[in-house]
Structure formats: structure tokens, C-alpha cells
Amino acid sequence: MNGLHTSDDPMPSSQASYDTLRNVTPEHACPYLPGLLSRNEVYWTDHLDGSLYERLLARGFRRSGRVVYRPRCRGCRECRQTRVIVDRFQPTHSMRRVQRRNADVVVEVGEPRPTPQRFDLYLRYLGFQHDDTMERTFESFREFLGDSPTKTLEFRYLLGDHLIGVSIADECPKGLSSVYMYFDPDFADRSLGTFSVLWEVEYCRRRGLPYYYLGFYVAGSGKMRYKARFRPSEVLVAEDRWISLPQ
């Protein structure tokens, strides 16, 4: 990619015009809202301090590998950063059923390790959950989920000796920012995506972290509907301005 931001450059201003930004990707089909075009403002970073990343989250940025990005789409602002308010969160009845269904799952926490076993699980998940737009090479997997410029945790979900799910999240001074979760399709009936959010929100609670960042919420997108179930939560509507997610 050309024109990328380095770790020595100043933090990008949120006041820049959407049409004069240098580091904007070409437009492509929006993965969330059919018929619309999407583009991102992107910056490369060699090192990302947790406090700085937290400030970038409040400006609408996310991380993927060593790139931080935020949507800069023409005429659309529907991608909004969302976060769960940890100390006020209470699981619903259906979420408690998911917790009981996975009471036999053990969770290990450590640093990301892009091993062949995890790559095989990732490929099986992509085949189950996604179309062919995501790359399926070990190198792209390693760059996406194993190469991070900030402090990152890997949550390994185990049923006995069997790895059934892996979740990646970045650690900030005031919370965790979810990056990605993939699981074994043979255990899809366990709702492991929901279980991982519940477990990681509780992880934040035990450590006194007030927020769990779920990534972008897009009103009207079926893919993003599940995020609205984790309440109370907030969406970012302007720089450092969060409001309660509407019912």
C-alpha cells in the first residue's frame, strides 16, 4: 500500500476533508450494506502504544495487522465504533443458556500464536462463515491475527484437548478491543461467538476494565445485528462523543 502513515508521524486529524485525505483506499463493494461503495482511511504503524490506540478508537479507528483504519465512505457514516459498558452489562436469558451450554469449555489466555493447527481451524471457519473474498494463505493469516504492533491477547477455547475456538483482542488501559473470533464449525450449535464475547466481557470485569470494544456496528446490516444484543452499550457519533446505542 502507498502513502502509509508511520509510527513517527503525528496522529491523523479527524477534521480532514473526506475527499482530500491521502491515505484512502480505492472504493469497493460495501461488505455490510448492499449496493453501496466502501473505502477506508489507512495508516501503517510499527508500534502502537495502548493509550494512543485508545485515543484512536475514540476517533473511529480499528486495527488489522499493523494497519489502523477507519471508514471514509462517500455519503455514508453508518459504520460506528461500539463498546459494551462492562460494569453495567447483564446477560440476557438466552445468553445465560449459552453460558450453561459451554460450562465445560476451558479458556486459556496468552499471546497470539499463528500455528498450523490454528490456521486449519481458521480455514474451516472461513469455509463455513464467509465467501471467497478473504485471503486463505498462512502468511495472510499470520499478518492478520499474529502480527500486532500493540499488546494483544489470544483467548483459546478448549473442549478437553480439542481447540474449538480462538479469539484475538487488543488490550488498552481501559478495556479490550475485539479483533476477530473464529471457531470450529462442528461446534456451531454452541454459539461460540456469543460465548466468547460473554467470557471476554467478564474478563474485563475481573480486571477492572470499563469497556469491551466490539468493533463497528452498522444499523441495517444483518451481519452486525448481534452486536446490539450486548447492552448497555454505546456507539461513537463524533470524536470522543459516545451515546447509548438506540433500542
Side-chain angles (χ1 to χ4, degrees):
M1 303 179 75
N2 296 320
L4 290 176
H5 188 80
T6 70
S7 56
D8 296 326
D9 292 331
M11 190 162 61
S13 168
S14 63
Q15 303 304 313
S17 163
Y18 277 31
D19 293 319
T20 58
L21 291 164
R22 292 174 303 156
N23 301 334
V24 176
T25 63
E27 289 183 318
H28 54 278
C30 176
Y32 306 120
L33 298 174
L36 297 184
L37 294 176
S38 171
R39 63 179 187 171
N40 292 306
E41 178 187 356
V42 296
Y43 301 92
W44 174 272
T45 180
D46 294 316
H47 174 72
L48 187 58
D49 176 78
S51 297
L52 173 59
Y53 187 33
E54 205 155 60
R55 290 164 60 196
L56 289 172
L57 288 170
R59 291 187 173 194
F61 282 90
R62 299 280 297 154
R63 180 190 71 81
S64 177
R66 290 189 173 271
V67 168
V68 290
Y69 69 97
R70 62 180 170 184
R72 286 301 206 186
C73 307
R74 301 177 195 270
C76 181
R77 306 289 182 268
E78 290 301 322
C79 288
R80 301 186 185 279
Q81 190 82 264
T82 182
R83 65 187 186 184
V84 177
I85 311 300
V86 170
D87 64 354
R88 293 169 51 204
F89 173 76
Q90 293 293 332
T92 64
H93 291 301
S94 64
M95 290 175 184
R96 291 192 185 97
R97 287 197 295 272
V98 171
Q99 289 174 319
R100 290 194 293 271
R101 195 181 309 148
N102 291 285
D104 51 352
V105 172
V106 173
V107 184
E108 295 179 348
V109 184
E111 296 182 354
R113 289 190 293 152
T115 64
Q117 179 198 24
R118 287 164 177 70
F119 180 53
D120 179 67
L121 180 64
Y122 176 73
L123 290 179
R124 295 182 61 220
Y125 172 78
L126 291 186
F128 171 75
Q129 196 78 0
H130 292 281
D131 56 24
D132 357 349
T133 56
M134 293 184 69
E135 286 190 57
R136 285 165 163 75
T137 65
F138 183 80
E139 184 59 21
S140 65
F141 167 69
R142 186 195 66 78
E143 290 178 355
F144 176 32
L145 297 177
D147 188 14
S148 170
T150 195
K151 185 174 181 182
T152 300
L153 299 176
E154 179 183 77
F155 296 86
R156 297 180 285 275
Y157 293 84
L158 297 151
L159 190 60
D161 293 331
H162 188 70
L163 181 69
I164 62 172
V166 177
S167 175
I168 305 294
D170 294 330
E171 190 168 21
C172 299
K174 293 182 180 179
L176 286 181
S177 175
S178 177
V179 176
Y180 200 73
M181 197 275 171
Y182 57 99
F183 58 81
D184 188 332
D186 290 344
F187 296 88
D189 60 349
R190 283 178 170 261
S191 302
L192 290 170
T194 296
F195 180 64
S196 70
V197 173
L198 296 172
W199 202 95
E200 290 159 33
V201 168
E202 184 57 30
Y203 177 91
C204 289
R205 192 194 309 273
R206 293 196 304 267
R207 281 155 181 76
L209 302 173
Y211 303 116
Y212 182 78
Y213 293 86
L214 273 169
F216 296 125
Y217 174 73
V218 184
S221 169
K223 295 179 181 179
M224 296 294 184
R225 192 174 296 125
Y226 77 94
K227 296 183 181 183
R229 297 168 51 225
F230 299 93
R231 294 177 182 270
S233 57
E234 298 176 326
V235 290
L236 185 71
V237 294
E239 183 177 319
D240 290 318
R241 185 181 169 216
W242 300 85
I243 64 169
S244 295
L245 181 66
Q247 293 288 339

